[in-house]
Amino acid sequence: MLKNQEHRVAVAPMMDWTDRHCRFFHRQLTRRALLYTEMVVADAVIHGARERLLGFDVAEHPVALQLGGSDPAKLAEAARIGEAFGYGEINLNVGCPSDRVQSGTFGACLMKTPVLVADCVAAMKAAVKIPVTVKCRIGVDEQDPEPALDTLADGVLAAGADALWVHARKAWLEGLSPKENREIPPLDYPRVYRLKARKPNEFIGINGGIQSLEEASAHLAHVDGAMLGRSAYHTPGILTGVDAAFYGATPVAFDYAALIDAMGAYAARHIEKGGRLGHVTRHMVGLFHGLPGARRFRQILSTDANKPGAGPEVLRTAFAAIDFAAAEAEAA
């Protein structure tokens, strides 16, 4: 049986975006897609404020913790801590191209040291009972993606990795910013398809530039999983179709009244703990992209929700700006 076959669709780990509030919100839109944390550095997990870094709501499951690092012993310890917190998967970041990641000799630069990556995976696998996975690029800098990706994949899968998610772009560690690294290097989906053809019994997932559920479905004719990134964050409404399209759920009209109640109650709990409404609502701004009232919805969440003392009633005011009847008529 193919490993991890239940995770056909995932929402990518995204720095500064997929925090616990974002994941709770996304989970209201899809019950089945696999959610990932932002990357958390192994040293921070071991020595930092663990509840702040790792805490999450049980409603987020299935949820995976992404770790950054290159020391097998530290990654193993961080993986143990993550498992104890209740995460269902530990993922190793071998794809992030940011300067702070390079200075720590992890992230995308690990594509150049596949033996070390395999050692890290083996150490993590020995430390935990939950799945250990890897997210990588097809190569970095002047690497030829054919041997570079094969070498990395062969090593981590032999070390016991339960899945390999591949961002189908090179990372250029010199000359491009992290933002440019998500846009400028050309996407090479066929390279990932060829890896899957070589590894028919291993879970190979694809990431990078997937804009719609239709595109995700097309990729799933070639690989085992499709990972949505910026499209899921900027237009989260697309997640409401995931369960029916990929997991066999009965297609029904999305229950926005239940969403309002769930997010209002969640925001109230966060505020009671000393948080601010804007911490939660900043992830919701793009929910009604293209629908009647969406502009007013965005304005309220971008301004009123960030004012001192703002409470859940602001969220309800924002939802009231949407013409749900018109949206339903348009969908019909």
Side-chain angles (χ1 to χ4, degrees):
M1 180 181 292
L2 183 69
K3 300 173 182 176
N4 278 22
Q5 62 181 344
E6 70 273 19
H7 296 321
R8 291 172 55 76
V9 176
V11 177
M14 292 176 279
M15 293 294 290
D16 302 320
W17 286 0
T18 52
D19 63 16
R20 61 188 303 173
H21 310 307
C22 175
R23 298 191 307 268
F24 183 90
F25 168 51
H26 284 176
R27 181 55 69 220
Q28 309 313 305
L29 308 179
T30 166
R31 299 297 177 183
R32 298 293 299 277
L34 176 62
L35 305 181
Y36 280 85
T37 70
E38 304 170 87
M39 182 187 68
V40 186
V41 178
D43 274 324
V45 172
I46 296 169
H47 303 294
R50 293 178 185 173
E51 178 57 35
R52 179 178 62 81
L53 292 167
L54 301 180
F56 68 97
D57 193 293
V58 66
E60 294 172 37
H61 282 297
V63 60
L65 169 64
Q66 188 183 67
L67 294 175
S70 58
D71 182 304
K74 289 180 179 179
L75 284 166
E77 177 61 19
R80 278 192 290 267
I81 294 168
E83 182 180 45
F85 258 78
Y87 286 97
E89 174 189 316
I90 306 295
N91 178 267
L92 177 61
N93 183 313
V94 189
C96 182
S98 75
D99 293 339
R100 53 182 164 169
V101 165
Q102 290 184 57
S103 66
T105 62
F106 52 92
C109 61
L110 287 176
M111 291 294 299
K112 298 178 179 179
T113 56
V115 173
L116 175 58
V117 178
D119 289 343
C120 291
V121 169
M124 295 161 75
K125 284 290 293 182
V128 299
K129 295 182 173 62
I130 58 177
V132 172
T133 66
V134 174
K135 186 170 186 288
C136 69
R137 294 280 184 135
I138 59 173
V140 294
D141 297 335
E142 300 297 339
Q143 282 185 328
D144 180 343
E146 293 299 326
L149 182 57
D150 280 350
T151 300
L152 188 284
D154 289 348
V156 299
L157 293 170
D162 296 282
L164 180 63
W165 291 95
V166 185
H167 185 155
R169 282 188 175 96
K170 268 190 174 185
W172 287 93
L173 303 181
E174 299 290 337
L176 292 182
S177 70
K179 181 178 186 295
E180 291 170 330
N181 260 297
R182 293 190 297 269
E183 300 170 348
I184 292 177
L187 286 158
D188 188 355
Y189 296 134
R191 177 64 193 96
V192 187
Y193 300 166
R194 292 194 294 276
L195 174 64
K196 175 58 191 176
R198 282 188 63 241
K199 298 288 185 182
N201 298 319
E202 303 286 354
F203 184 103
I204 306 296
I206 198 165
N207 169 233
I210 302 174
Q211 297 298 314
S212 67
L213 300 190
E214 291 75 20
E215 289 182 27
S217 182
H219 286 301
L220 289 173
H222 304 279
V223 294
D224 305 303
M227 181 177 275
L228 304 171
R230 284 170 290 165
S231 60
Y233 189 83
H234 291 307
T235 55
I238 69 173
L239 295 177
T240 63
V242 165
D243 295 357
F246 301 103
Y247 293 99
T250 302
V252 294
F254 187 75
D255 189 345
Y256 285 105
L259 175 65
I260 296 168
D261 289 343
M263 295 310 302
Y266 179 85
R269 293 194 298 272
H270 178 61
I271 292 168
E272 287 171 6
K273 295 175 183 177
R276 294 171 52 195
L277 180 65
H279 296 158
V280 176
T281 57
R282 74 184 185 97
H283 303 296
M284 303 175 63
V285 172
L287 177 60
F288 296 110
H289 181 76
L291 295 183
R295 182 178 181 184
R296 180 60 182 147
F297 178 84
R298 292 193 300 271
Q299 289 174 337
I300 294 170
L301 294 192
S302 298
T303 56
D304 295 359
N306 291 302
K307 293 178 179 178
E313 68 280 356
V314 174
L315 186 57
R316 294 186 178 277
T317 301
F319 271 94
I322 300 298
D323 186 346
F324 287 105
E328 290 172 4
E330 183 177 314

